[in-house]
Structure formats: C-alpha cells, structure tokens
Amino acid sequence: KQEVTQIPAALSVPEGENLVLNCSFTDSAIYNLQWFRQDPGKGLTSLLLIQSSQREQTSGRLNASLDKSSGRSTLYIAASQPGDSATYLCAVKATNYGQNFVFGPGTRLSVLP
Amino acid sequence: EAQVTQNPRYLITVTGKKLTVTCSQNMNHEYMSWYRQDPGLGLRQIYYSMNVEVTDKGDVPEGYKVSRKEKRNFPLILESPSPNQTSLYFCASSPWTGELFFGEGSRLTVL
C-alpha cells in the first residue's frame, strides 16, 4: 500500500530565505505527483503537477522535482515571503485503476517578516 | 470559471438528522472524490467515483453514502450523522490527466 510522508512537519524561516520541502513515497509506480498549498480552514490549491515522465516543474518562485526511483519529490521555494505561510501537501496518483490519490500529512510553513 | 462547488460551506446539525453535502464541478471531469480532514489525521478519502454510476469506497466510508447519477454532481450523504463525523469535508475532481482540483470545503459540526 502506498504511503506518503513529508519532512519536516513544520518549518519556520525568516523572510527572504530559500527553502526545500520534502515528500517521500514508498511505491515508485506512480502516475503523477502534485503539490498543494492549504491556508488554515481553506481548500487545497494546486501548485505544481509533475507527471511520472517528468523530472521537474516550475512556476514562478516554485520548483518541484521528482525522482521516482528513490521515491522522492522536493518543493523548492525561492526568496520566501510571509504570504507563503501555509501548509504544503504532496499527493501521488497511483497507476492502477481503482487506486487513486494518496496524500502526505503536510509541512506547515511559517515565514517570519 | 472552472471550479468545484460545495454546499453548504458551514453546517451545524444534530445527531441522527440526515444531511446531504452537494458537490458540483463544471470541468467535465470523470473522477470525483470526497475527503475529510481532521487535526492530526490529515486528509482521508471517504468515497470516490471514476465515472457516472461507478463509485467505490475509500479509507473511511463508514457512515457515508454517495451517488453519481450525473457526471458533474457527486453528493455526500450522511444518513444518521454522529458527533465523530464532525470534520472539514472536501470534494475534488480530476480529468484523466490526473490533476486534482478541490472545492472550498464544508465544515460540519454534529451535536
């Protein structure tokens, strides 16, 4: 059964720092991996989607990488801002029909002014 | 605007009073799913649907029902709500390319 973990569980950084969030999954047979942002009490907003054939995706200050063989993805945030404070979740989509998205527990990020 | 719409957004009810949380998407997605999110437990899947008339249990289906009679709608039914179903509920949809889109969430309190 696919399991997804995220390290660290919480992270606090000063504004302007570059930072990396980690996502690990146990079964490398994935269809894609998606990173989400969630503000407290709100819905999940999709940040980046990486298909299994891709190695990375970029959007603005965000860069996500995928290494299927090692079961890892990283989300790199450049020049962090207080507005980046949120919980970041990763989710993997399994290749098999009937299995679907498995979520990590999230990393709670605080960017201090 | 492409979106997943849930209603109600907030609901307080009492034990045993049947309720339905509606979910509608306007993106013609095949896949739809319901999740609940609880502190310390993360997102847990309740039910999902791969297409019209095709539904299957997720990790925590007990106490819930769903139906998928139309492609755009996927209501979540609580036949006899109990306090342990107090939670934040999310509906999501996805095309076959696999990008998941979420609704804003429905906060349910069962007294």
Side-chain angles (χ1 to χ4, degrees):
Chain A
K1 180 181 176 183
Q2 179 75 270
E3 293 184 359
V4 180
T5 56
Q6 291 186 245
I7 294 173
L11 180 63
S12 186
V13 300
E15 181 177 4
E17 274 205 5
N18 303 325
L19 58 99
V20 174
L21 307 180
N22 296 290
C23 172
S24 297
F25 46 95
T26 54
D27 186 346
S28 62
I30 64 170
Y31 186 78
N32 65 34
L33 184 144
Q34 196 168 352
W35 282 93
F36 295 89
R37 169 189 172 132
Q38 185 179 26
D39 294 294
K42 303 289 188 181
L44 281 74
T45 301
S46 179
L47 297 174
L48 290 164
L49 172 70
I50 311 177
Q51 301 293 349
S52 63
S53 58
Q54 298 174 318
R55 294 299 299 261
E56 66 177 328
Q57 282 285 344
T58 298
S59 176
R61 294 182 294 110
L62 306 179
N63 176 276
S65 67
L66 175 63
D67 185 343
K68 276 179 53 179
S69 60
S70 66
R72 293 181 183 178
S73 176
T74 61
L75 178 66
Y76 175 82
I77 303 177
S80 59
Q81 304 170 356
D84 294 330
S85 298
T87 296
Y88 291 81
L89 297 95
C90 65
V92 297
K93 185 180 190 303
T95 53
N96 298 336
Y97 180 92
Q99 296 181 15
N100 42 92
F101 301 86
V102 180
F103 282 82
T107 293
R108 190 172 67 253
L109 173 65
S110 296
V111 181
L112 306 175
Chain B
E1 178 188 355
Q3 58 186 2
V4 179
T5 304
Q6 298 178 223
N7 281 295
R9 296 287 314 283
Y10 302 92
L11 179 63
I12 300 175
T13 189
V14 296
T15 299
K17 186 176 182 180
K18 180 180 178 179
L19 68 92
T20 299
V21 185
T22 64
C23 175
S24 181
Q25 50 95 3
N26 62 1
M27 296 170 279
N28 201 38
H29 288 168
E30 291 81 10
Y31 175 93
M32 297 186 74
S33 181
W34 277 102
Y35 299 87
R36 60 178 290 175
Q37 188 176 41
D38 303 286
L41 297 177
L43 271 168
R44 294 181 292 169
Q45 189 179 51
I46 304 171
Y47 269 95
Y48 64 96
S49 169
M50 302 297 280
N51 215 323
V52 175
E53 301 292 0
V54 181
T55 63
D56 209 347
K57 297 177 181 178
D59 297 320
V60 288
E62 295 77 19
Y64 304 94
K65 285 176 57 177
V66 293
S67 67
R68 187 91 180 273
K69 294 183 171 57
E70 305 168 284
K71 198 171 187 180
R72 64 183 293 125
N73 296 323
F74 191 44
L76 179 70
I77 303 161
L78 286 74
E79 293 272 4
S80 183
S82 63
N84 64 13
Q85 293 178 298
T86 293
S87 187
L88 180 58
Y89 290 87
F90 290 104
C91 180
S93 72
S94 172
W96 288 118
T97 53
E99 185 172 9
L100 200 55
F101 295 85
F102 278 83
E104 287 293 307
S106 296
R107 185 169 294 281
L108 172 64
T109 301
V110 183
L111 302 175

